[in-house]
Amino acid sequence: MTKKKNNKNTKVYVRFRPANKRELDSLPLDVNDKRNYSCEVCEENEERARNKINVNDSYKTRTYSFDRAFSRYDSQVNVYRCTTSSLINNLLNGKNSSLMCYGQTGSGKTFTLFGFEERRKTNSDKVDENDGIVARAVDDLFYKIRQTEIPGEIEYQIEVQFIQIYNEKVHDMLVPHQVDLPVRMVEEPLTGHLDWSTAAAFVPVHNTYELMTQVQKGLENRTVRLTSMNQSSSRSHAILKIRCRKLEINSGSVYTSVFDFVDLAGSEKVSNSLVFGAGLKEASYINASLLHLKNVIKALSLLKK
């Protein structure tokens, strides 16, 4: 399942990813037979019914509501359009946004954000049907920059940072030798706002190809491991930060905004993933940090109320 961080201006989504090749090859059941699933998107006649899911067990059927529920038949482009497309203008107009994906290991978080691994390694500058949210957002961003930028009057500067939190230590995935980076609170020089930051590098980029090349470079440096639940399980939380500066030359105004794409490591039961040694240590850190995240979200929710 993939969810987007929930606060005053954001929403919560759930997604059931399509069956992957391993499942299609190994499972004896028909993936198109709804009777084989204990959890499924409600499919009533009205479009608004697509915001509910049913969870079936031996006792009863429970229904949960979200801002939108995506079935395994929803395409990557449909997920992007419904969740992220409208936020690109915010980035160009000085407003921060974030997208957080979390769920059990193997539930499709990295697939939703970045697409298939084989596809990412093609280094194509064209968006493919299997590309995830990040590639589509980046392509939209530079398209809109080309439409609105006026040389000498309105100009944009785009930078990218990519880090992972592995075993509670921050690593720069674009500059791999930068490991165990300290986290500190800093003041944004132009706005005076306080924010948490690391010393990880920001790399300037000028088009979709350059930015996605940096993304692929970072993903190749991310820590992954084979488990019994996932052939390529992410063992770290990854944060892709895209920073946009809008310069209004005549007035001297500068607007800075950030879009954070967060791909959390998946929660897992060790009895199911069958990890040991270093993998067991990773799992303990992952589950502990996700518990802390839950407590933070709960505290923010109570404060809001």
Side-chain angles (χ1 to χ4, degrees), residues 18-203:
N20 59 37
K21 185 178 185 301
R22 180 170 66 103
E23 292 163 343
L24 291 173
D25 291 341
S26 63
L27 292 181
L29 55 81
D30 179 2
V31 296
N32 294 313
D33 187 347
K34 294 183 177 61
R35 293 173 297 179
N36 291 318
Y37 292 85
S38 61
C39 188
E40 189 54 87
V41 176
C42 297
E43 294 185 353
E44 300 177 11
N45 291 329
E46 299 182 14
E47 176 64 19
R48 66 173 179 268
R50 292 297 303 278
N51 67 344
K52 297 179 181 179
I53 65 171
N54 288 332
V55 178
N56 307 305
D57 57 32
S58 57
Y59 299 100
K60 62 181 178 179
T61 298
R62 290 164 291 170
T63 300
Y64 297 91
S65 297
F66 298 83
D67 289 285
R68 177 69 187 243
F70 299 97
S71 77
R72 58 189 179 278
Y73 303 112
D74 279 290
S75 65
Q76 293 278 69
V77 65
N78 189 40
V79 172
Y80 168 71
R81 287 173 178 170
C82 294
T83 63
T84 313
S85 177
S86 61
L87 300 177
I88 302 305
N89 284 332
N90 290 348
L91 185 61
L92 293 173
N93 292 319
K95 298 178 182 179
N96 297 332
S97 298
S98 62
L99 186 78
M100 180 183 295
C101 294
Y102 66 99
Q104 180 176 288
T105 181
S107 58
K109 301 178 297 299
T110 302
F111 165 72
T112 297
L113 269 187
F114 300 108
F116 287 120
E117 181 179 4
E118 294 78 8
R119 163 61 189 167
R120 298 196 304 264
K121 292 182 178 180
T122 61
N123 291 324
S124 173
D125 58 353
K126 304 294 183 181
V127 176
D128 180 81
E129 63 178 355
N130 292 315
D131 281 326
I133 285 175
V134 169
R136 299 178 190 280
V138 169
D139 200 53
D140 267 1
L141 171 63
F142 283 105
Y143 172 78
K144 291 182 178 182
I145 285 177
R146 292 193 297 271
Q147 300 300 309
T148 58
E149 193 170 45
I150 304 174
E153 296 185 24
I154 299 176
E155 298 180 358
Y156 293 92
Q157 297 174 350
I158 305 297
E159 298 172 304
V160 60
Q161 179 191 80
F162 207 0
I163 65 171
Q164 69 171 347
I165 303 174
Y166 175 65
N167 289 350
E168 297 300 292
K169 294 182 179 180
V170 179
H171 298 236
D172 189 336
M173 294 199 290
L174 300 184
V175 186
H177 67 268
Q178 293 201 90
V179 298
D180 198 9
L181 297 173
V183 179
R184 62 189 187 280
M185 182 170 280
V186 298
E187 180 178 339
E188 169 62 43
L190 297 175
T191 65
H193 294 159
L194 296 175
D195 196 7
W196 293 102
S197 179
T198 74
F202 270 99
V203 178

Side-chain angles (χ1 to χ4, degrees), residues 197-229:
S197 179
T198 74
F202 270 99
V203 178
V205 291
H206 304 92
N207 52 53
T208 300
Y209 179 78
E210 289 184 9
L211 202 158
M212 292 309 299
T213 297
Q214 294 297 328
V215 169
Q216 177 57 24
K217 175 183 175 181
L219 290 173
E220 290 174 355
N221 291 321
R222 189 178 186 183
T223 304
V224 298
R225 185 181 298 276
L226 171 67
T227 74
S228 65
M229 297 180 67

Side-chain angles (χ1 to χ4, degrees), residues 11 28 279:
K11 298 181 179 181

